[in-house]
Amino acid sequence: MELSRVSITPIAVFNFVLWLFFTLCFFYQIVYFVIGYFKNEIVLPKAKKQHRFAFMIAAHNEEVVIAQLVKSILTQKYPRKLFDVYVVADACTDKTAKRAREAGAIVFERDDLARKGKSWALDMGFNNVLHDKGESYYDAFIVFDADNLLSRDYLSEMNKLLDLGYLAGTSLRNSKNFDSSWVSAANAIWFLREARYLNNARMLLNTSCAISGSGWMVSTDIIRGMQGWDFHLLTEDIQFSTFCAAHGIKIGYAPAEFYDEQPVTFKASWIQRMRWTKGFYQVFFSYVGDLMKGISKRSFASYDLLMTVGPAMLLTLMSALVNSVYLFIGMFSNGFLATADELSMCVGSLVMTFVSIYLVFFLIAAFTTCTERKRIHAKHKWRVITNVFTFPLWQMTYIPITVIALFKKVEWVPTKHEFALSVDEVTGLEDAKP
């Protein structure tokens, strides 16, 4: 029997190698997804001791929302004598400091315009607390943004994590304005997915997690060792996570739920994600050597964080670009540079690239929506359903962001928050018929 001849061309080899590389690099996240789906949510053992905590909040012109956060902290189901609330009013021109004090927080006011941003505010807050209260008064700090709200058992769950010996930990980030727009809904699903199918799975598999934005804990031992806060890139959260992974500090996860205000407009989301992407580049180029050393020592956490901060979307763009250029040149070569079969392959590769991106994120949204439906607090059921279809489109806008962030100078820009809701108002929302 005559064997059919298979033409192996450069573009075919390129597409195969890139596909194989993606599969090998990110297959472990499929394992995370399976573990997160079948194992449900982790349950932490009861703590043997109730530890002492300091809540640290960096706030810039947050008079609208700061009081609700402080109140949600002070009403925790945890002994009141074992925690305090600190707010760093950072270069505020409104009544943030006044509102925070009235709500019951201890306030530090900061006016350093040369070193502005959350990380510098945290540095001041940590140092002030260590100086005023002593280096061993608190067992750990918990960091929040001014727009957040806490479920009433939040601190009890985080105490369990600290009691297990974790020096750092993250928690479950939910949204308080899911159905404000298709943008807020997309952000909300992304963070629910991050909790259930990334950090929860990591915890179940006994590997290190990653902190994200707010709702994270760091032990006083680490703050004391650094004499404050020493992470000042655009994404200080992922910088800290990467540092921990590279140096063998395991970050834990607790199903302690808090609520975050998501951007409502596409412009606000674009600005926010531009900062995140630029920050990921900064972390990648600053820590790639340390992560590679960790990988050489068989640290899976180092590999996980390398894949997290690595510019994977650039590889997707490179695939689309190479196939597009090959297709364009081949179309005008009269078959000299590319055959009809090769051109068809380029077209097929381009189509499959974007179709596969859409389908992957569609499935992520669908599974997350189904499994986390009880956590989605929305007035409009139609928003919950349509978000499954629009979520992949929101994710695909990361492609231009990834490119622009390579060349654009990005600075920290405060996000304006407007949803001054209580925990009861958020969780009491009932789905309405469309």
Side-chain angles (χ1 to χ4, degrees), residues 210-415:
I211 66 172
S212 173
S214 58
W216 49 270
M217 176 186 72
V218 57
S219 74
T220 305
D221 292 339
I222 291 180
I223 299 299
R224 183 172 56 243
M226 292 189 298
Q227 297 182 330
W229 186 249
D230 198 28
F231 302 98
H232 300 292
L233 298 181
L234 284 171
T235 48
E236 75 285 335
D237 49 359
I238 200 68
Q239 182 186 5
F240 175 65
S241 299
T242 306
F243 171 85
C244 289
H247 293 84
I249 301 172
K250 186 179 290 187
I251 299 175
Y253 166 77
E257 189 173 16
F258 73 98
Y259 302 89
D260 188 34
E261 182 178 326
Q262 307 304 333
V264 175
T265 67
F266 183 78
K267 180 180 179 181
S269 175
W270 179 279
I271 293 172
Q272 184 185 66
R273 290 183 293 150
M274 185 68 70
R275 176 176 64 83
W276 291 348
T277 304
K278 189 70 172 185
F280 272 49
Y281 281 135
Q282 291 176 343
V283 173
F284 177 77
F285 291 116
S286 298
Y287 288 88
V288 62
D290 291 336
L291 291 175
M292 292 302 293
K293 289 179 182 178
I295 293 172
S296 69
K297 297 177 182 178
R298 299 181 180 179
S299 167
F300 180 76
S302 293
Y303 177 80
D304 192 358
L305 262 295
L306 182 62
M307 294 300 102
T308 299
V309 301
M313 197 62 82
L314 277 183
L315 295 178
T316 301
L317 187 66
M318 183 176 68
S319 172
L321 182 62
V322 169
N323 280 279
S324 296
V325 171
Y326 198 90
L327 178 63
F328 179 79
I329 295 175
M331 287 174 61
F332 297 96
S333 69
N334 295 320
F336 178 71
L337 295 178
T339 65
D341 288 342
E342 289 175 309
L343 296 181
S344 297
M345 179 184 294
C346 290
V347 173
S349 178
L350 287 170
V351 172
M352 285 305 301
T353 294
F354 292 101
V355 169
S356 61
I357 291 174
Y358 185 92
L359 287 177
V360 166
F361 287 115
F362 175 86
L363 291 174
I364 287 175
F367 272 91
T368 304
T369 299
C370 291
T371 56
E372 299 297 280
R373 182 65 186 91
K374 65 179 181 179
R375 299 192 189 279
I376 299 175
H377 304 290
K379 292 180 179 179
H380 305 105
K381 185 178 294 184
W382 64 265
R383 177 72 74 188
V384 178
I385 298 172
T386 59
N387 180 60
V388 174
F389 297 90
T390 57
F391 175 79
L393 301 178
W394 178 78
Q395 281 291 330
M396 290 170 75
T397 61
Y398 263 111
I399 297 175
I401 289 175
T402 302
V403 178
I404 296 171
L406 267 176
F407 309 100
K408 181 180 175 63
K409 181 179 179 181
V410 180
E411 296 181 347
W412 175 79
V413 178
T415 302

Side-chain angles (χ1 to χ4, degrees), residues 111-137:
D111 293 301
D112 188 347
L113 298 179
R115 297 184 300 178
K116 60 183 180 179
K118 178 180 176 180
S119 66
W120 293 108
L122 291 178
D123 185 47
M124 173 191 173
F126 289 146
N127 277 312
N128 284 3
V129 170
L130 292 180
H131 179 268
D132 295 345
K133 288 290 190 177
E135 295 186 344
S136 301
Y137 184 75

Side-chain angles (χ1 to χ4, degrees), residues 11 30 51 78 80 87 137 142 167 174 191 204 212 225 243 246 250 256 275 298 307 399 413 416-417:
I11 192 65
I30 299 177
H51 297 270
Y78 198 80
R80 178 63 187 87
V87 173
Y137 184 75
I142 299 180
L167 297 178
N174 203 341
F191 290 122
L204 289 167
S212 173
F243 171 85
K250 186 179 290 187
R275 176 176 64 83
R298 299 181 180 179
M307 294 300 102
I399 297 175
V413 178
K416 185 178 180 180
H417 299 118

Side-chain angles (χ1 to χ4, degrees), residues 154-191:
Y154 182 91
L155 191 50
S156 296
E157 288 296 320
M158 295 304 283
N159 181 64
K160 294 178 183 178
L161 192 63
L162 184 64
D163 201 60
L164 288 173
Y166 285 93
L167 297 178
T170 188
S171 55
L172 197 162
R173 186 175 184 176
N174 203 341
S175 173
K176 64 182 184 181
N177 63 320
F178 182 97
D179 59 352
S180 292
S181 71
W182 73 281
V183 173
S184 64
N187 275 277
I189 283 296
W190 179 255
F191 290 122

